[in-house]
Amino acid sequence: MKEKEKSTGKILLKRKKKDLLAAFCILNKDLPSIQEKITYLHPNEQNHYNTLKYDKRKLSYLLGRIAAKKAINELIDVNDQSIFIDFGIFQFPIVKSFENHNIQVSISHCDNIAIVLAFPEEHPLGVDIEKIKEDSITAIKQQITDSEMNLILECQTSFPIGSMVVWTVKEAISKIFKTGLTMDFKMLEIQSLKKEGSIYLSSFTHFTQYKAISYHSGNYVCSIVLPKNTNPGLDQFWNSFAKKSIK
């Protein structure tokens, strides 16, 4: 699964007692080009794909599954068709394989972009990407608490970018909890938000064991949520995100 332009890489997760490895894949492709990779799907995935009626759903499904297989292959050498990425009860992805490596994935897609993190099950990660759009910002504003509004205003960034950072952070942590939008987002309130160089760092009011790292590039914001005592090596990931978000 090699491409001329590198879309995958590893992420070192530095911990006090031991280091772990995660991996990522970022794809930016339209439907005709990603359909060329349909043979990478597991038979069960192909069956699901054949039930999809609309191009938008076909694109997001193919992008997510193929990017997930690429990310997993950065960690373990496994045949793509042997990996079956199923849906959990609340539609979260579940990695099933004939070889049990305890690898899981977090998947996010927006427009033609899919971002996947593959990681050992012992170390949770969540990722989300969203496009900054006026109608989205209007809807998000209704979900932001007064405290979060103040954090955005104090963060030396525009309201559209700041609000999208807050939103993607909440989406990313909800993926760790495997609840998605069924969870009351007020429980995911952001406690702190600060900008350091080109990234945004945030923490949570209620889930203090986690932190978030966000990045804005072009019209998109991407956030990763991870345990607060992990120091991740994300330079390659952010560089790839910046390139893919303006492709």
Side-chain angles (χ1 to χ4, degrees):
M1 296 181 67
K2 299 294 184 182
E3 292 185 354
K4 292 181 180 179
E5 183 179 354
K6 185 71 171 174
S7 60
T8 61
K10 293 183 174 66
I11 299 173
L12 179 63
L13 305 170
K14 294 189 67 65
R15 302 277 300 173
K16 185 175 182 180
K17 292 186 178 180
K18 70 172 181 177
D19 295 342
L20 297 164
L21 272 181
F24 71 86
C25 178
I26 305 177
L27 294 180
N28 187 338
K29 292 183 177 294
D30 58 19
L31 184 57
S33 59
I34 199 65
Q35 281 178 323
E36 296 174 1
K37 312 289 186 180
I38 199 169
T39 54
Y40 295 143
L41 295 184
H42 183 278
N44 291 349
E45 293 169 337
Q46 292 200 28
N47 289 338
H48 177 78
Y49 176 78
N50 290 336
T51 69
L52 301 177
K53 297 180 179 180
Y54 302 105
D55 285 352
K56 185 176 181 180
R57 288 292 298 123
K58 290 179 180 180
L59 175 61
S60 63
Y61 185 77
L62 282 177
L63 279 173
R65 264 48 190 179
I66 292 169
K69 292 166 191 281
K70 285 175 170 285
I72 291 169
N73 265 297
E74 279 288 304
L75 294 181
I76 56 175
D77 185 14
V78 61
N79 180 274
D80 296 304
Q81 289 185 324
S82 74
I83 303 171
F84 172 33
I85 302 174
D86 202 357
F87 292 103
I89 297 297
F90 297 114
Q91 301 302 300
F92 52 85
I94 299 292
V95 178
K96 298 180 179 179
S97 173
F98 293 117
E99 304 173 41
N100 185 11
H101 295 279
N102 289 329
I103 300 296
Q104 292 300 326
V105 294
S106 181
I107 301 174
S108 185
H109 32 67
C110 182
D111 296 335
N112 288 7
I113 304 174
I115 298 180
V116 176
L117 300 181
F119 50 91
E121 195 168 11
E122 64 189 293
H123 189 289
L125 293 172
V127 66
D128 190 62
I129 177 177
E130 300 289 346
K131 188 174 186 178
I132 302 171
K133 298 184 294 185
E134 185 175 345
D135 56 343
S136 298
I137 300 304
T138 300
I140 290 170
K141 190 174 182 179
Q142 307 304 316
Q143 303 294 327
I144 293 176
T145 66
D146 292 341
S147 176
E148 290 169 338
M149 183 70 74
N150 290 332
L151 290 175
I152 293 170
L153 294 175
E154 294 169 0
C155 194
Q156 297 183 334
T157 190
S158 68
F159 179 76
I161 295 174
S163 61
M164 195 58 73
V165 167
V166 169
W167 182 258
T168 54
V169 165
K170 291 184 178 184
E171 285 265 26
I173 195 171
S174 76
K175 293 177 181 180
I176 288 180
F177 298 144
K178 302 185 185 299
T179 59
L181 295 175
T182 65
M183 190 173 189
D184 183 353
F185 269 31
K186 292 180 181 178
M187 287 295 298
L188 308 178
E189 184 181 56
I190 307 299
Q191 183 182 52
S192 66
L193 175 65
K194 60 180 179 178
K195 190 172 187 292
E196 291 189 359
S198 57
I199 65 172
Y200 298 82
L201 304 175
S202 50
S203 62
F204 300 91
T205 300
H206 302 291
F207 300 101
T208 56
Q209 69 271 46
Y210 288 103
K211 66 182 178 183
I213 305 174
S214 307
Y215 192 95
H216 163 239
S217 177
N219 294 321
Y220 298 90
V221 170
C222 178
S223 290
I224 294 177
V225 171
L226 67 165
K228 73 172 184 179
N229 292 327
T230 296
N231 293 314
L234 291 172
D235 287 350
Q236 185 184 1
F237 176 82
W238 294 133
N239 287 338
S240 183
F241 169 62
K243 291 177 182 177
K244 296 293 183 180
S245 64
I246 59 175
K247 183 177 178 181

PDB file of all heavy atoms in Angstrom, residues 71-95:
ATOM      1  N   ALA A  71      -3.006   2.849   8.582  1.00  0.00           N
ATOM      2  CA  ALA A  71      -2.463   3.200   9.896  1.00  0.00           C
ATOM      3  C   ALA A  71      -2.091   1.944  10.678  1.00  0.00           C
ATOM      4  O   ALA A  71      -1.019   1.879  11.303  1.00  0.00           O
ATOM      5  CB  ALA A  71      -3.477   4.034  10.678  1.00  0.00           C
ATOM      6  N   ILE A  72      -2.955   0.944  10.643  1.00  0.00           N
ATOM      7  CA  ILE A  72      -2.673  -0.311  11.345  1.00  0.00           C
ATOM      8  C   ILE A  72      -1.406  -0.955  10.797  1.00  0.00           C
ATOM      9  O   ILE A  72      -0.573  -1.479  11.550  1.00  0.00           O
ATOM     10  CB  ILE A  72      -3.871  -1.279  11.224  1.00  0.00           C
ATOM     11  CG1 ILE A  72      -5.061  -0.740  12.026  1.00  0.00           C
ATOM     12  CG2 ILE A  72      -3.497  -2.684  11.702  1.00  0.00           C
ATOM     13  CD1 ILE A  72      -6.366  -1.461  11.772  1.00  0.00           C
ATOM     14  N   ASN A  73      -1.222  -0.892   9.475  1.00  0.00           N
ATOM     15  CA  ASN A  73      -0.040  -1.491   8.866  1.00  0.00           C
ATOM     16  C   ASN A  73       1.250  -0.764   9.206  1.00  0.00           C
ATOM     17  O   ASN A  73       2.337  -1.276   8.950  1.00  0.00           O
ATOM     18  CB  ASN A  73      -0.230  -1.579   7.347  1.00  0.00           C
ATOM     19  CG  ASN A  73      -0.768  -2.924   6.918  1.00  0.00           C
ATOM     20  OD1 ASN A  73      -0.110  -3.938   7.107  1.00  0.00           O
ATOM     21  ND2 ASN A  73      -1.972  -2.939   6.383  1.00  0.00           N
ATOM     22  N   GLU A  74       1.133   0.441   9.748  1.00  0.00           N
ATOM     23  CA  GLU A  74       2.329   1.127  10.262  1.00  0.00           C
ATOM     24  C   GLU A  74       2.798   0.485  11.563  1.00  0.00           C
ATOM     25  O   GLU A  74       3.965   0.600  11.931  1.00  0.00           O
ATOM     26  CB  GLU A  74       2.033   2.606  10.503  1.00  0.00           C
ATOM     27  CG  GLU A  74       2.097   3.475   9.267  1.00  0.00           C
ATOM     28  CD  GLU A  74       3.519   3.682   8.770  1.00  0.00           C
ATOM     29  OE1 GLU A  74       4.371   4.152   9.553  1.00  0.00           O
ATOM     30  OE2 GLU A  74       3.779   3.384   7.591  1.00  0.00           O
ATOM     31  N   LEU A  75       1.876  -0.174  12.279  1.00  0.00           N
ATOM     32  CA  LEU A  75       2.213  -0.788  13.572  1.00  0.00           C
ATOM     33  C   LEU A  75       2.488  -2.272  13.461  1.00  0.00           C
ATOM     34  O   LEU A  75       3.373  -2.799  14.138  1.00  0.00           O
ATOM     35  CB  LEU A  75       1.074  -0.561  14.572  1.00  0.00           C
ATOM     36  CG  LEU A  75       0.811   0.885  15.003  1.00  0.00           C
ATOM     37  CD1 LEU A  75      -0.336   0.918  16.012  1.00  0.00           C
ATOM     38  CD2 LEU A  75       2.055   1.512  15.616  1.00  0.00           C
ATOM     39  N   ILE A  76       1.708  -2.968  12.643  1.00  0.00           N
ATOM     40  CA  ILE A  76       1.851  -4.413  12.517  1.00  0.00           C
ATOM     41  C   ILE A  76       1.765  -4.794  11.042  1.00  0.00           C
ATOM     42  O   ILE A  76       1.103  -4.134  10.258  1.00  0.00           O
ATOM     43  CB  ILE A  76       0.762  -5.174  13.307  1.00  0.00           C
ATOM     44  CG1 ILE A  76      -0.646  -4.734  12.867  1.00  0.00           C
ATOM     45  CG2 ILE A  76       0.935  -4.971  14.803  1.00  0.00           C
ATOM     46  CD1 ILE A  76      -1.765  -5.520  13.516  1.00  0.00           C
ATOM     47  N   ASP A  77       2.449  -5.861  10.688  1.00  0.00           N
ATOM     48  CA  ASP A  77       2.427  -6.342   9.303  1.00  0.00           C
ATOM     49  C   ASP A  77       1.276  -7.324   9.175  1.00  0.00           C
ATOM     50  O   ASP A  77       1.357  -8.472   9.630  1.00  0.00           O
ATOM     51  CB  ASP A  77       3.751  -7.017   8.961  1.00  0.00           C
ATOM     52  CG  ASP A  77       3.829  -7.421   7.500  1.00  0.00           C
ATOM     53  OD1 ASP A  77       2.988  -6.950   6.710  1.00  0.00           O
ATOM     54  OD2 ASP A  77       4.721  -8.216   7.156  1.00  0.00           O
ATOM     55  N   VAL A  78       0.191  -6.886   8.575  1.00  0.00           N
ATOM     56  CA  VAL A  78      -0.996  -7.734   8.460  1.00  0.00           C
ATOM     57  C   VAL A  78      -1.661  -7.472   7.119  1.00  0.00           C
ATOM     58  O   VAL A  78      -1.622  -6.356   6.597  1.00  0.00           O
ATOM     59  CB  VAL A  78      -1.976  -7.452   9.630  1.00  0.00           C
ATOM     60  CG1 VAL A  78      -2.441  -6.022   9.612  1.00  0.00           C
ATOM     61  CG2 VAL A  78      -3.154  -8.417   9.612  1.00  0.00           C
ATOM     62  N   ASN A  79      -2.246  -8.504   6.550  1.00  0.00           N
ATOM     63  CA  ASN A  79      -2.926  -8.372   5.260  1.00  0.00           C
ATOM     64  C   ASN A  79      -4.169  -7.509   5.413  1.00  0.00           C
ATOM     65  O   ASN A  79      -4.970  -7.705   6.325  1.00  0.00           O
ATOM     66  CB  ASN A  79      -3.309  -9.759   4.729  1.00  0.00           C
ATOM     67  CG  ASN A  79      -4.011  -9.689   3.389  1.00  0.00           C
ATOM     68  OD1 ASN A  79      -5.224  -9.519   3.340  1.00  0.00           O
ATOM     69  ND2 ASN A  79      -3.250  -9.812   2.318  1.00  0.00           N
ATOM     70  N   ASP A  80      -4.348  -6.557   4.500  1.00  0.00           N
ATOM     71  CA  ASP A  80      -5.463  -5.615   4.607  1.00  0.00           C
ATOM     72  C   ASP A  80      -6.820  -6.299   4.650  1.00  0.00           C
ATOM     73  O   ASP A  80      -7.691  -5.931   5.433  1.00  0.00           O
ATOM     74  CB  ASP A  80      -5.440  -4.632   3.429  1.00  0.00           C
ATOM     75  CG  ASP A  80      -4.193  -3.767   3.446  1.00  0.00           C
ATOM     76  OD1 ASP A  80      -3.965  -3.101   4.456  1.00  0.00           O
ATOM     77  OD2 ASP A  80      -3.460  -3.777   2.443  1.00  0.00           O
ATOM     78  N   GLN A  81      -6.994  -7.311   3.810  1.00  0.00           N
ATOM     79  CA  GLN A  81      -8.297  -7.970   3.723  1.00  0.00           C
ATOM     80  C   GLN A  81      -8.599  -8.831   4.948  1.00  0.00           C
ATOM     81  O   GLN A  81      -9.738  -9.246   5.139  1.00  0.00           O
ATOM     82  CB  GLN A  81      -8.384  -8.813   2.454  1.00  0.00           C
ATOM     83  CG  GLN A  81      -8.489  -7.985   1.187  1.00  0.00           C
ATOM     84  CD  GLN A  81      -8.705  -8.842  -0.040  1.00  0.00           C
ATOM     85  OE1 GLN A  81      -8.166  -9.946  -0.146  1.00  0.00           O
ATOM     86  NE2 GLN A  81      -9.488  -8.340  -0.980  1.00  0.00           N
ATOM     87  N   SER A  82      -7.585  -9.112   5.768  1.00  0.00           N
ATOM     88  CA  SER A  82      -7.832  -9.890   6.988  1.00  0.00           C
ATOM     89  C   SER A  82      -8.331  -9.008   8.128  1.00  0.00           C
ATOM     90  O   SER A  82      -8.786  -9.517   9.146  1.00  0.00           O
ATOM     91  CB  SER A  82      -6.561 -10.625   7.425  1.00  0.00           C
ATOM     92  OG  SER A  82      -5.621  -9.710   7.987  1.00  0.00           O
ATOM     93  N   ILE A  83      -8.247  -7.698   7.950  1.00  0.00           N
ATOM     94  CA  ILE A  83      -8.715  -6.759   8.977  1.00  0.00           C
ATOM     95  C   ILE A  83     -10.155  -6.382   8.672  1.00  0.00           C
ATOM     96  O   ILE A  83     -10.464  -5.896   7.586  1.00  0.00           O
ATOM     97  CB  ILE A  83      -7.850  -5.488   9.002  1.00  0.00           C
ATOM     98  CG1 ILE A  83      -6.373  -5.817   9.227  1.00  0.00           C
ATOM     99  CG2 ILE A  83      -8.341  -4.539  10.090  1.00  0.00           C
ATOM    100  CD1 ILE A  83      -5.460  -4.629   9.039  1.00  0.00           C
ATOM    101  N   PHE A  84     -11.012  -6.584   9.646  1.00  0.00           N
ATOM    102  CA  PHE A  84     -12.408  -6.191   9.528  1.00  0.00           C
ATOM    103  C   PHE A  84     -12.685  -5.116  10.567  1.00  0.00           C
ATOM    104  O   PHE A  84     -12.585  -5.352  11.761  1.00  0.00           O
ATOM    105  CB  PHE A  84     -13.320  -7.403   9.744  1.00  0.00           C
ATOM    106  CG  PHE A  84     -14.792  -7.067   9.840  1.00  0.00           C
ATOM    107  CD1 PHE A  84     -15.348  -6.016   9.113  1.00  0.00           C
ATOM    108  CD2 PHE A  84     -15.624  -7.807  10.661  1.00  0.00           C
ATOM    109  CE1 PHE A  84     -16.695  -5.711   9.201  1.00  0.00           C
ATOM    110  CE2 PHE A  84     -16.980  -7.524  10.760  1.00  0.00           C
ATOM    111  CZ  PHE A  84     -17.516  -6.470  10.030  1.00  0.00           C
ATOM    112  N   ILE A  85     -13.012  -3.908  10.105  1.00  0.00           N
ATOM    113  CA  ILE A  85     -13.332  -2.818  11.019  1.00  0.00           C
ATOM    114  C   ILE A  85     -14.847  -2.713  11.093  1.00  0.00           C
ATOM    115  O   ILE A  85     -15.502  -2.195  10.183  1.00  0.00           O
ATOM    116  CB  ILE A  85     -12.681  -1.506  10.567  1.00  0.00           C
ATOM    117  CG1 ILE A  85     -11.158  -1.699  10.468  1.00  0.00           C
ATOM    118  CG2 ILE A  85     -13.007  -0.378  11.553  1.00  0.00           C
ATOM    119  CD1 ILE A  85     -10.421  -0.540   9.893  1.00  0.00           C
ATOM    120  N   ASP A  86     -15.381  -3.217  12.184  1.00  0.00           N
ATOM    121  CA  ASP A  86     -16.821  -3.315  12.377  1.00  0.00           C
ATOM    122  C   ASP A  86     -17.336  -2.066  13.083  1.00  0.00           C
ATOM    123  O   ASP A  86     -16.564  -1.190  13.496  1.00  0.00           O
ATOM    124  CB  ASP A  86     -17.129  -4.561  13.204  1.00  0.00           C
ATOM    125  CG  ASP A  86     -18.556  -5.062  13.025  1.00  0.00           C
ATOM    126  OD1 ASP A  86     -19.331  -4.415  12.299  1.00  0.00           O
ATOM    127  OD2 ASP A  86     -18.885  -6.099  13.634  1.00  0.00           O
ATOM    128  N   PHE A  87     -18.662  -1.977  13.254  1.00  0.00           N
ATOM    129  CA  PHE A  87     -19.296  -0.906  14.013  1.00  0.00           C
ATOM    130  C   PHE A  87     -19.665  -1.407  15.406  1.00  0.00           C
ATOM    131  O   PHE A  87     -20.222  -2.504  15.555  1.00  0.00           O
ATOM    132  CB  PHE A  87     -20.585  -0.430  13.326  1.00  0.00           C
ATOM    133  CG  PHE A  87     -20.357   0.269  12.019  1.00  0.00           C
ATOM    134  CD1 PHE A  87     -20.582  -0.382  10.821  1.00  0.00           C
ATOM    135  CD2 PHE A  87     -19.929   1.582  11.984  1.00  0.00           C
ATOM    136  CE1 PHE A  87     -20.402   0.260   9.609  1.00  0.00           C
ATOM    137  CE2 PHE A  87     -19.730   2.243  10.781  1.00  0.00           C
ATOM    138  CZ  PHE A  87     -19.962   1.572   9.589  1.00  0.00           C
ATOM    139  N   GLY A  88     -19.374  -0.589  16.421  1.00  0.00           N
ATOM    140  CA  GLY A  88     -19.844  -0.885  17.761  1.00  0.00           C
ATOM    141  C   GLY A  88     -21.287  -0.430  17.934  1.00  0.00           C
ATOM    142  O   GLY A  88     -21.913   0.094  17.008  1.00  0.00           O
ATOM    143  N   ILE A  89     -21.825  -0.604  19.147  1.00  0.00           N
ATOM    144  CA  ILE A  89     -23.218  -0.282  19.438  1.00  0.00           C
ATOM    145  C   ILE A  89     -23.545   1.168  19.081  1.00  0.00           C
ATOM    146  O   ILE A  89     -24.593   1.472  18.512  1.00  0.00           O
ATOM    147  CB  ILE A  89     -23.533  -0.533  20.932  1.00  0.00           C
ATOM    148  CG1 ILE A  89     -23.356  -2.014  21.278  1.00  0.00           C
ATOM    149  CG2 ILE A  89     -24.954  -0.077  21.264  1.00  0.00           C
ATOM    150  CD1 ILE A  89     -24.294  -2.937  20.561  1.00  0.00           C
ATOM    151  N   PHE A  90     -22.622   2.089  19.415  1.00  0.00           N
ATOM    152  CA  PHE A  90     -22.840   3.504  19.131  1.00  0.00           C
ATOM    153  C   PHE A  90     -22.030   3.954  17.907  1.00  0.00           C
ATOM    154  O   PHE A  90     -21.601   5.098  17.829  1.00  0.00           O
ATOM    155  CB  PHE A  90     -22.502   4.351  20.356  1.00  0.00           C
ATOM    156  CG  PHE A  90     -23.390   4.066  21.535  1.00  0.00           C
ATOM    157  CD1 PHE A  90     -22.873   3.499  22.693  1.00  0.00           C
ATOM    158  CD2 PHE A  90     -24.752   4.348  21.493  1.00  0.00           C
ATOM    159  CE1 PHE A  90     -23.697   3.218  23.778  1.00  0.00           C
ATOM    160  CE2 PHE A  90     -25.577   4.081  22.570  1.00  0.00           C
ATOM    161  CZ  PHE A  90     -25.047   3.508  23.721  1.00  0.00           C
ATOM    162  N   GLN A  91     -21.805   3.026  16.993  1.00  0.00           N
ATOM    163  CA  GLN A  91     -21.163   3.300  15.697  1.00  0.00           C
ATOM    164  C   GLN A  91     -19.662   3.576  15.773  1.00  0.00           C
ATOM    165  O   GLN A  91     -19.065   4.024  14.802  1.00  0.00           O
ATOM    166  CB  GLN A  91     -21.871   4.462  14.977  1.00  0.00           C
ATOM    167  CG  GLN A  91     -23.345   4.221  14.697  1.00  0.00           C
ATOM    168  CD  GLN A  91     -23.580   2.969  13.853  1.00  0.00           C
ATOM    169  OE1 GLN A  91     -23.100   2.873  12.733  1.00  0.00           O
ATOM    170  NE2 GLN A  91     -24.310   2.012  14.389  1.00  0.00           N
ATOM    171  N   PHE A  92     -19.046   3.313  16.925  1.00  0.00           N
ATOM    172  CA  PHE A  92     -17.596   3.488  17.001  1.00  0.00           C
ATOM    173  C   PHE A  92     -16.912   2.305  16.305  1.00  0.00           C
ATOM    174  O   PHE A  92     -17.461   1.195  16.238  1.00  0.00           O
ATOM    175  CB  PHE A  92     -17.133   3.599  18.456  1.00  0.00           C
ATOM    176  CG  PHE A  92     -17.609   2.487  19.353  1.00  0.00           C
ATOM    177  CD1 PHE A  92     -16.912   1.285  19.447  1.00  0.00           C
ATOM    178  CD2 PHE A  92     -18.756   2.638  20.113  1.00  0.00           C
ATOM    179  CE1 PHE A  92     -17.347   0.266  20.266  1.00  0.00           C
ATOM    180  CE2 PHE A  92     -19.209   1.623  20.947  1.00  0.00           C
ATOM    181  CZ  PHE A  92     -18.503   0.430  21.022  1.00  0.00           C
ATOM    182  N   PRO A  93     -15.701   2.525  15.766  1.00  0.00           N
ATOM    183  CA  PRO A  93     -15.018   1.452  15.024  1.00  0.00           C
ATOM    184  C   PRO A  93     -14.418   0.401  15.952  1.00  0.00           C
ATOM    185  O   PRO A  93     -13.845   0.723  16.997  1.00  0.00           O
ATOM    186  CB  PRO A  93     -13.925   2.201  14.259  1.00  0.00           C
ATOM    187  CG  PRO A  93     -13.643   3.408  15.099  1.00  0.00           C
ATOM    188  CD  PRO A  93     -14.965   3.796  15.710  1.00  0.00           C
ATOM    189  N   ILE A  94     -14.553  -0.848  15.573  1.00  0.00           N
ATOM    190  CA  ILE A  94     -13.968  -1.967  16.297  1.00  0.00           C
ATOM    191  C   ILE A  94     -13.088  -2.752  15.324  1.00  0.00           C
ATOM    192  O   ILE A  94     -13.568  -3.217  14.284  1.00  0.00           O
ATOM    193  CB  ILE A  94     -15.054  -2.908  16.855  1.00  0.00           C
ATOM    194  CG1 ILE A  94     -15.961  -2.168  17.836  1.00  0.00           C
ATOM    195  CG2 ILE A  94     -14.422  -4.130  17.523  1.00  0.00           C
ATOM    196  CD1 ILE A  94     -15.284  -1.757  19.120  1.00  0.00           C
ATOM    197  N   VAL A  95     -11.813  -2.887  15.645  1.00  0.00           N
ATOM    198  CA  VAL A  95     -10.890  -3.622  14.780  1.00  0.00           C
ATOM    199  C   VAL A  95     -10.963  -5.104  15.118  1.00  0.00           C
ATOM    200  O   VAL A  95     -10.734  -5.511  16.253  1.00  0.00           O
ATOM    201  CB  VAL A  95      -9.444  -3.124  14.947  1.00  0.00           C
ATOM    202  CG1 VAL A  95      -8.498  -3.952  14.062  1.00  0.00           C
ATOM    203  CG2 VAL A  95      -9.343  -1.648  14.593  1.00  0.00           C
TER     204      VAL A  95
END
